[in-house]
Amino acid sequence: KLATLAPEGTDWHGMLVEMGQEWKKATNGKVELRLYPGGVIGDERDMVRKMRIGQIHAAGMTTEGLSEIVPDFTAFYVPLAYEDSLDVNRVLDYMLPQFEQKLEDGGFKLLYLSDLGWAYWFSTTKLTSPIELKEKRLFTWAGDFKWAEIYKKAGYNPVTLASTDILSGLQTGLIDAIPTMPIYALAQQSFGIANHMLDLKWGVLLAGIIIDKRTWNKIPSKYHEELVKIAQEISRKHQATNLLAETQSIDAMKQYGLQIHTPTEREVELWKSEVKNMENNLRGNVIPKDVYDKVIELTKD
Amino acid sequence: MGENSKISHVINRLKWGEDTLAVVIFAAMTLLPVIETTTRLFSTNGIPASQVLVQHFTLWIGFLGAILATRQNKLLALTRDPLFDEAEKPHLGKWIAKVTTFLVLVALTWGSWELLKIEMKYPIDIAPNIPRWVAQLIMPVGFGLMAIQVYVKSYKKHIHRISLIVVGLLFSLSAITDAIFDVLPVIWIGVFIILFALLNGAPIFVGLGGAAILFFWADYTPISAIPTETYRIVVSPTLPTIPLFTLAGYLLAESKASERLVKVFKELFGWIPGGTPVVIVILCGFFTALTGGSGVTILALGGILLPLLIKEGYSRSFSIGLITVSGSLGLLFPPSLPAIIYGVTAGVSVKSIFNAGLIPGILLLVMMSIWAIIQGKKEKIPSKPFNIKKAFQVCLETKWELAIPFLILFGVFGGFTTLVETAALTVSYIFFVEVYVYNDIDLKTLPRIIIDCATLIGGVLIILGVAMGLTSYLIDAQIPILILSWAKGALASKYSFLLMLNIFLLLVGCLMDIFSAIIVIVPLIAPLGVYFGVDPVHLAIIFIANLELGFLTPPVGMNLFLAAYRFDEDMPKIYQATLPFFLVRLLAVGLITYIPVLTLGLLR
Ligand code: NA
Ligand code: NA
């Protein structure tokens, strides 16, 4: 039983279906994957809890849920640190062994991990500098108190909401800015109101597949290597489509009136110094100190 | 004797502790969002993790309320007689109901304890220095205390009570249960026993929980799957609105607001031929909306409205029918509890549901009013002239309460507050108005009101939480996918789907209470709605409007019970009185279902 937030019909879901079929073939039908897409099992935290009690056995989840198991995954929470996939890969290459080990200690086997897409600021009016963002009310997720605190301390106006209330929050003006991935903005139609996008890679979201170790160990070990290989091959194949999906989403939204703003060099510097200001609250609070420092070191050009 | 007085001393202490905790948590739940709103408006720092704390307070108030409800024998059940009455003599049907209740509670205690152990092993903070397991502690404690209450209150004599424990021990010996599993169709027997227990007075949540336990058990899934779901639904971000709006409704119901509102609406609409019934339709819709559909309308207004109608010459049957039916009229307006629960369950924005519900809600009011006028003409009741001066005067007198719907609408649609903050502000406002402006509520009676309210909420939230466990099993077993693939073949079009939905929901309304119906059925139907191209928000309105009828459908319609209780009538009499109104409502549901623009017009 594998759960994921990705809805049926999405690329990610298709990838998992394919993986299930390949696994079945490789093990002569001994391993059969039952998928629970679209978050029917709950959000990623619920998935972690349900894997621990033994109700489900695996999950395709983002760094959001993975950081619930191993706080080191917050390495990818440092805003603006990652400028391109090379930065992501550098951090990933360095940290993957420790991710795998710590997941193992937490009772999970990591099958693979790679980047899913970039998060940008979407807002109801033009937004290019942090000063403009400070005049807006920005969405933070109700499930996590730390981000709201960090934004507050840095002088922003965060409003904590359930994810389902983003659209109506934008409609009534309760919030007017959200950091999100273009594919989400398109799927949730939030770009219809938040129709300004700041072309600055604010954050990165990675996604991977983990499996409960008790379940993994029940699968004869002669299959282990093959199963991992299949998962990684399929995901590599899909990684290219992920990046393409981002461009396609942005193009589609542009046709419906999305305006894209490119920040000037000065504005980029302003954003960077904002993040620098947040450092005290991020480092050692949300993100472990050593992880934070390593990310900064590895992504420094 | 000494032993007994020691026990009763401990029990009294426990009672005091539960009551005090309920009052304190309610106060905190109201204050935190108010502080949050204020700090946001003035851009200062509020209390860290305020919202997450409020969400977890909902869990605590839910379980405390459930304990209170168990203590007072007020858990919602299919029968009117209380089951746990310290009976002198065992009666077989009731014995089975009691044993089932006890076993389900023990199993849920154990399941929550298993969950808690895992959370303690992997602690995560939900707020500064508060690990999640601390917040979840209330689940095993709550289920445990309920089990103890049920045990103590089952029979007067020790010897009879012991039988519950004996059966419990038998079940916990896995050797025996496994052996039984091998030879008997345990699922069918189990379902039969649960139904039998329900008919003999076991609480509704025991039926849902019992079924969930049975199915998970047969599937080798740990029972902690159920409390995991209870936790998930009860701490969801929008759910704190339920205790808050219910409290707002209780405060209104305890004040003299109802009398003032009757006066206002009589002056405003009394001139219409057949005016009083129209007044009642509008007033009840208004009051039900304000109280979130928690069922207090009939209790609070029934006593004033019935004599009013009878004095004017309407028949008793018509009058009782009208009031009973009107008690569920406002459920499409904010802050309706079913709408909130629907939004939370289906992952649809609650605000959008409220927005979409405005026109259908008004349509229902208008259709009911027209029917009332027709009936009024038939019974040849004279109307009274309109007096603008007097109308203005009563409006002025009641202005503080007339402002409440505007406050709520502003909160929901104004974009200054979240739904939870709106609810907390409403509670604070009503508290202030009733205590300090109208002086209707004495501060000394406040704890009692809060405890009554917590008891009701506990009864509802425990059903919600446990129903979610059953839903989780259905999803686990991929039932929604099976239904979808069946429907793809069997149903030709969107309209045949909608027709099937109407009929199905009517049946569901007959068998289930509205809260568990939403929780259990929505995940099964929502994928069908997507497949047949029904807008998720339209589906929400169809669902609620259809299930509203469920409040009036025998045998489980909650309003029918409340009416029978309030007007001291037998159930068949109530069924008969509500039937004509039921048919009018059915027509309205048809319109709402097949004319989507009624719902979606305001959304675009
Ligand atoms: Na972010
Ligand atoms: Na019903």
Side-chain angles (χ1 to χ4, degrees):
Chain A
K1 293 181 188 168
L2 184 147
T4 173
L5 286 185
E8 233 170 310
T10 56
D11 207 58
W12 236 81
H13 178 252
M15 179 187 100
L16 293 171
V17 172
E18 196 182 330
M19 190 181 86
Q21 287 162 350
E22 294 289 321
W23 276 11
K24 196 174 170 183
K25 239 189 276 167
T27 57
N28 297 320
K30 286 204 182 87
V31 174
E32 216 167 318
L33 204 58
R34 224 203 254 180
L35 287 185
Y36 295 90
V40 289
I41 291 285
D43 66 25
E44 296 187 342
R45 295 176 174 200
D46 301 316
M47 291 176 197
V48 172
R49 193 174 300 128
K50 288 183 179 189
M51 278 192 279
R52 280 179 174 152
I53 64 168
Q55 192 183 352
I56 58 169
H57 311 112
M61 60 167 65
T62 67
T63 27
E64 197 86 57
L66 292 170
S67 63
E68 167 109 0
I69 309 171
V70 177
D72 291 5
F73 280 98
T74 54
F76 300 102
Y77 282 11
V78 187
L80 297 181
Y82 302 90
E83 279 166 21
D84 47 34
S85 289
L86 288 176
D87 279 341
V88 177
N89 287 338
R90 230 172 280 147
V91 173
L92 200 52
D93 286 343
Y94 180 86
M95 293 202 174
L96 200 56
Q98 90 191 50
F99 288 155
E100 283 176 338
Q101 186 53 49
K102 288 189 176 175
L103 275 173
E104 187 100 15
D105 299 340
F108 297 98
K109 162 95 187 151
L110 180 69
L111 292 184
Y112 99 94
L113 180 71
S114 77
D115 43 346
L116 186 67
W118 301 95
Y120 302 86
W121 281 104
F122 284 77
S123 53
T124 51
T125 52
K126 181 173 156 282
L127 167 70
T128 50
S129 80
I131 301 136
E132 286 165 308
L133 185 59
K134 281 185 180 160
E135 287 160 8
K136 293 191 174 359
R137 289 188 281 191
L138 51 99
F139 162 82
T140 54
W141 183 49
D144 192 346
F145 71 96
K146 283 179 177 163
W147 279 100
E149 297 306 309
I150 286 164
Y151 279 123
K152 263 187 206 167
K153 283 183 186 154
Y156 296 88
N157 302 308
V159 179
T160 40
L161 289 178
S163 321
T164 47
D165 287 332
I166 292 178
L167 196 58
S168 67
L170 285 167
Q171 277 166 344
T172 56
L174 186 59
I175 49 170
D176 32 37
I178 46 167
T180 187
M181 296 201 323
I183 46 168
Y184 290 169
L186 178 64
Q188 296 164 343
Q189 300 280 302
S190 58
F191 78 97
I193 305 149
N195 58 348
H196 295 263
M197 179 184 128
L198 176 65
D199 191 9
L200 176 70
K201 292 186 172 70
W202 178 252
V204 64
L205 209 59
L206 279 76
I209 298 173
I210 53 171
I211 182 163
D212 178 39
K213 239 172 54 188
R214 290 165 291 186
T215 311
W216 183 249
N217 291 337
K218 265 188 230 155
I219 301 171
S221 55
K222 58 177 175 179
Y223 295 127
H224 282 178
E225 203 181 326
E226 178 71 12
L227 295 182
V228 174
K229 215 177 96 195
I230 290 170
Q232 290 181 346
E233 259 168 25
I234 289 176
S235 66
R236 213 164 294 136
K237 210 168 72 189
H238 281 260
Q239 205 178 353
T241 20
N242 274 342
L243 296 174
L244 196 66
E246 177 171 309
T247 336
Q248 284 171 341
S249 311
I250 293 177
D251 286 344
M253 290 189 285
K254 262 195 207 158
Q255 288 187 350
Y256 289 95
L258 181 74
Q259 296 187 40
I260 296 170
H261 305 282
T262 313
T264 62
E265 254 173 61
R266 215 191 94 69
E267 282 164 341
V268 174
E269 284 315 308
L270 276 177
W271 284 105
K272 284 191 174 159
S273 69
E274 272 307 302
V275 173
K276 194 82 193 144
N277 284 340
M278 290 182 182
E279 188 182 287
N280 278 337
N281 295 318
L282 286 171
R283 185 175 171 273
N285 180 12
V286 175
I287 307 165
K289 282 180 186 157
D290 54 327
V291 172
Y292 191 96
D293 296 340
K294 199 73 206 171
V295 168
I296 298 294
E297 185 198 316
L298 289 169
T299 55
K300 197 162 55 189
D301 287 319
Chain B
M1 208 53 214
E3 189 80 347
N4 264 349
S5 78
K6 236 188 233 164
I7 290 174
S8 72
H9 181 70
V10 170
I11 285 178
N12 280 334
R13 271 296 179 83
L14 212 56
K15 269 186 196 170
W16 182 86
E18 290 158 8
D19 291 352
T20 315
L21 200 55
V23 173
V24 170
I25 290 178
F26 249 127
M29 273 191 94
T30 312
L31 286 176
L32 283 178
V34 173
I35 294 172
E36 189 73 6
T37 319
T38 329
T39 55
R40 193 170 56 244
L41 288 178
F42 296 101
S43 296
T44 54
N45 282 338
I47 293 162
S50 153
Q51 192 170 350
V52 183
L53 285 176
V54 171
Q55 286 164 224
H56 284 84
F57 286 149
T58 313
L59 185 74
W60 279 67
I61 215 69
F63 273 92
L64 282 172
I67 299 169
L68 292 172
T70 317
R71 193 170 89 196
Q72 297 169 31
N73 236 322
K74 278 187 183 162
L75 289 166
L76 294 177
L78 300 190
T79 56
R80 270 174 78 195
D81 295 334
L83 179 62
F84 297 97
D85 51 357
E86 300 186 27
E88 292 273 3
K89 279 189 211 148
H91 159 282
L92 181 66
K94 288 193 172 178
W95 183 78
I96 288 179
K98 285 173 186 180
V99 169
T100 311
T101 309
F102 182 68
L103 286 182
V104 165
L105 281 169
V106 169
L108 290 174
T109 311
W110 185 76
S112 340
W113 172 244
E114 289 292 306
L115 172 66
L116 196 74
K117 280 202 301 203
I118 282 168
E119 294 279 356
M120 284 163 90
K121 199 169 157 200
Y122 306 102
I124 292 252
D125 283 358
I126 50 159
N129 303 316
I130 304 178
R132 193 160 53 204
W133 65 264
V134 171
Q136 289 173 337
L137 206 55
I138 191 69
M139 298 208 294
V141 171
F143 281 128
L145 284 175
M146 285 167 81
I148 293 172
Q149 294 273 7
V150 160
Y151 177 75
V152 171
K153 290 198 163 178
S154 58
Y155 292 103
K156 201 157 200 156
K157 289 190 193 130
H158 264 312
I159 185 90
H160 294 145
R161 286 189 212 152
I162 299 281
S163 65
L164 302 189
I165 300 227
V166 171
V167 178
L169 283 175
L170 284 178
F171 265 88
S172 63
L173 295 174
S174 60
I176 296 183
T177 47
D178 285 349
I180 297 174
F181 248 96
D182 289 343
V183 281
L184 292 172
V186 175
I187 296 269
W188 292 109
I189 296 175
V191 168
F192 178 77
I193 290 176
I194 289 167
L195 284 177
F196 188 73
L198 280 176
L199 293 176
N200 277 287
I204 290 173
F205 88 87
V206 169
L208 297 159
I213 292 169
L214 193 66
F215 293 142
F216 272 131
W217 189 22
D219 200 34
Y220 303 102
T221 306
I223 290 172
S224 44
I226 301 165
T228 304
E229 282 296 288
T230 309
Y231 173 76
R232 172 157 94 93
I233 182 98
V234 178
V235 301
S236 55
T238 318
L239 221 73
T241 48
I242 291 182
L244 288 171
F245 279 127
T246 311
L247 180 60
Y250 258 77
L251 289 173
L252 270 188
E254 286 283 333
S255 71
K256 296 194 186 77
S258 40
E259 286 162 41
R260 281 187 292 273
L261 291 171
V262 169
K263 260 201 254 169
V264 169
F265 285 98
K266 265 199 90 168
E267 287 301 330
L268 288 180
F269 302 105
W271 55 271
I272 301 172
T276 310
V278 176
V279 170
I280 285 170
V281 167
I282 296 171
L283 177 68
C284 285
F286 182 86
F287 205 80
T288 307
L290 288 190
T291 56
S294 47
V296 295
T297 306
I298 294 170
L299 298 180
L301 296 178
I304 316 168
L305 298 180
L306 187 63
L308 201 75
L309 280 168
I310 288 176
K311 205 173 79 192
E312 291 199 7
Y314 292 95
S315 67
R316 186 173 165 84
S317 175
F318 170 79
S319 308
I320 288 180
L322 181 74
I323 298 167
T324 310
V325 172
S326 303
S328 70
L329 263 180
L331 286 184
L332 290 173
F333 299 125
S336 138
L337 303 190
I340 294 172
I341 294 170
Y342 188 100
V344 170
T345 315
V348 176
S349 158
V350 178
K351 279 187 187 184
S352 308
I353 296 180
F354 285 148
N355 198 340
L358 285 179
I359 292 177
I362 292 169
L363 175 79
L364 271 173
L365 284 183
V366 169
M367 285 182 65
M368 284 302 293
S369 298
I370 292 173
W371 177 252
I373 290 172
I374 294 171
Q375 188 72 20
K377 274 217 174 116
K378 209 165 72 190
E379 300 199 4
K380 293 203 176 61
I381 311 289
S383 57
K384 71 186 212 49
F386 183 61
N387 179 337
I388 190 158
K389 218 174 127 192
K390 233 178 140 189
F392 183 72
Q393 201 193 334
V394 289
C395 281
L396 202 66
E397 196 185 308
T398 320
K399 61 176 179 294
W400 297 106
E401 279 144 353
L402 290 174
I404 297 169
F406 298 101
L407 181 81
I408 293 175
L409 288 174
F410 181 73
V412 172
F413 300 114
F416 292 96
T417 50
T418 65
L419 213 54
V420 173
E421 289 163 359
T422 306
L425 287 168
T426 308
V427 172
S428 315
Y429 175 83
I430 293 177
F431 170 78
F432 181 78
V433 165
E434 301 305 347
V435 174
Y436 296 106
V437 178
Y438 291 116
N439 291 316
D440 279 356
I441 293 177
D442 188 349
L443 279 180
K444 271 187 224 139
T445 61
L446 199 64
R448 184 195 46 82
I449 299 173
I450 291 180
I451 286 161
D452 281 354
C453 174
T455 309
L456 179 95
I457 294 164
V460 171
L461 288 187
I462 199 81
I463 291 181
L464 233 71
V466 173
M468 202 64 196
L470 182 59
T471 306
S472 173
Y473 171 78
L474 297 178
I475 288 171
D476 221 80
Q478 300 199 311
I479 306 288
I481 297 173
L482 292 179
I483 294 180
L484 184 61
S485 60
W486 166 80
K488 277 177 183 170
L491 301 172
S493 71
K494 180 175 168 177
Y495 292 99
S496 50
F497 162 66
L498 286 175
L499 185 66
M500 182 216 71
L501 182 67
N502 283 143
I503 296 168
F504 176 68
L505 288 180
L506 267 183
L507 285 176
V508 169
C510 298
L511 298 171
M512 287 170 103
D513 68 289
I514 194 164
F515 303 112
S516 17
I518 291 175
I519 299 269
V520 178
I521 306 297
V522 168
L524 303 181
I525 296 294
L528 292 181
V530 173
Y531 176 78
F532 286 104
V534 181
D535 187 284
V537 178
H538 185 209
L539 190 66
I541 301 296
I542 296 173
F543 219 95
I544 297 164
N546 224 313
L547 283 179
E548 265 191 332
L549 283 176
F551 266 117
L552 306 168
T553 324
V556 193
M558 198 158 77
N559 279 15
L560 301 177
F561 277 116
L562 292 173
Y565 166 78
R566 189 74 185 84
F567 303 124
D568 200 19
E569 288 281 0
D570 286 331
M571 291 296 276
K573 197 77 185 279
I574 305 279
Y575 297 155
Q576 197 192 334
T578 49
L579 186 67
F581 298 96
F582 180 85
L583 295 175
V584 176
R585 296 275 298 262
L586 197 60
L587 178 65
V589 168
L591 294 176
I592 293 169
T593 307
Y594 299 101
I595 310 178
V597 73
L598 289 175
T599 7
L600 302 174
L602 279 182
L603 277 185
R604 299 286 166 249

